[in-house]
Amino acid sequence: MPRTILVVDDDPHIRQLLVFALAKAGLESIEAGDGEEALALAASHAPDLVVLDINMPKMDGLEVCRRLRAEGEMPILFLSSRDDEIDRVLGIELGADDYVVKPFSPREVVARVVAILRRAAARAPEGDKAAPAIRHAKLALDLDGWRAEWAGTEVALTVTEFSILRVLATTPAKVFSRDAIIDRLHGPSFAVTDRTIDSHIRNLRGKFTAVGGHDVVETRAGVGYRLGPCSGAS
């Protein structure tokens, strides 16, 4: 079945451009012109992903993201009207999976939407009954069910957060540069800044620290990230 994308922007011209571009990629769209309408449509239509403008009347995109994240892990791609690092990083820290800065190419937005959907829809290789779980000390990842657990307690992660953790956990001895993580998530030459990866890692650490997982991800200064010992030692 076609995936449904909720496009949220107070500019009808931008919505029209994105809906047209998404349709060419085989994706269905529904539209909202403000934050309140976006929340109502998200509740009634359960879209597969939300393309969400940050600056809107009635309720801005950051607050919409906050409320959506309180309800579940629906993928979110932010649109930012200016090249403002604070807005972008705050959006990622609230749980957005990616962002695009205006003015943007509709093709770039579609490419990022497709990349996020591809990660969300990843399944076990054909012929396998189930993808193997990854266990490392107190950390457990159910690759088929896209579930992360710490000492038996589920930790709710966004699509991108789970994908990053899976990359690290699949090769626990390897130190991944930020570029290497981006390549694993999106493919080579995909334009994502180092700061975005740092924000996702910060989110991961915060969520696991809240349940006692202080050592899930290690930073190797000047190199990148690797999976930590996952023992719970502070």
Side-chain angles (χ1 to χ4, degrees):
M1 293 180 62
R3 300 300 186 91
T4 300
I5 311 302
L6 172 57
V7 178
V8 187
D9 197 297
D10 61 327
D11 186 332
H13 177 64
I14 289 177
R15 296 201 307 271
Q16 183 181 26
L17 283 175
L18 291 177
V19 167
F20 179 75
L22 290 165
K24 287 182 67 176
L27 299 167
E28 296 182 351
S29 302
I30 52 178
E31 303 177 45
D34 60 60
E36 292 180 356
E37 185 182 7
L39 289 176
L41 286 175
S44 62
H45 288 73
D48 296 286
L49 182 144
V50 182
V51 177
L52 181 60
D53 186 30
I54 288 182
N55 297 302
M56 293 186 298
K58 295 187 180 180
M59 183 186 301
D60 67 21
L62 298 177
E63 180 59 25
V64 173
C65 180
R66 216 177 261 116
R67 297 194 184 193
L68 289 175
R69 279 289 165 262
E71 297 295 326
E73 300 302 320
M74 186 182 299
I76 296 171
L77 171 68
F78 262 129
L79 303 177
S80 178
S81 61
R82 60 187 188 277
D83 191 10
D84 189 325
E85 191 75 12
I86 295 175
D87 270 0
R88 300 198 317 256
V89 171
L90 180 56
I92 295 296
E93 290 180 349
L94 285 173
D97 293 277
D98 204 351
Y99 66 85
V100 176
V101 177
K102 297 179 182 179
F104 52 76
S105 160
R107 291 179 63 185
E108 179 187 4
V109 175
V110 171
R112 291 176 184 270
V113 165
V114 170
I116 295 170
L117 291 175
R118 187 183 300 120
R119 295 198 301 274
R123 293 292 184 266
E126 190 173 348
D128 289 355
K129 292 184 178 179
I134 295 177
R135 297 187 180 278
H136 190 76
K138 295 184 178 181
L139 174 68
L141 299 181
D142 174 3
L143 303 186
D144 230 18
W146 284 70
R147 288 167 51 93
E149 292 185 355
W150 178 264
T153 298
E154 183 174 1
V155 180
L157 302 178
T158 67
V159 171
T160 301
E161 291 163 2
F162 185 92
S163 298
I164 291 173
L165 188 56
R166 180 178 61 181
V167 168
L168 300 181
T170 300
T171 316
K174 180 179 175 63
V175 179
F176 288 87
S177 69
R178 293 166 180 83
D179 286 343
I181 293 173
I182 292 168
D183 288 349
R184 292 291 187 94
L185 266 58
H186 299 284
S189 304
F190 202 89
V192 176
T193 68
D194 290 353
R195 188 70 180 273
T196 302
I197 297 299
D198 291 343
S199 294
H200 286 306
I201 293 290
R202 186 158 49 247
N203 287 353
L204 274 171
R205 284 175 168 153
K207 290 180 177 182
F208 278 96
T209 296
V211 294
H214 306 279
D215 56 349
V216 169
V217 179
E218 288 184 355
T219 300
R220 292 299 176 93
V223 182
Y225 299 105
R226 61 172 288 177
L227 192 71
C230 300
S231 65
S234 54

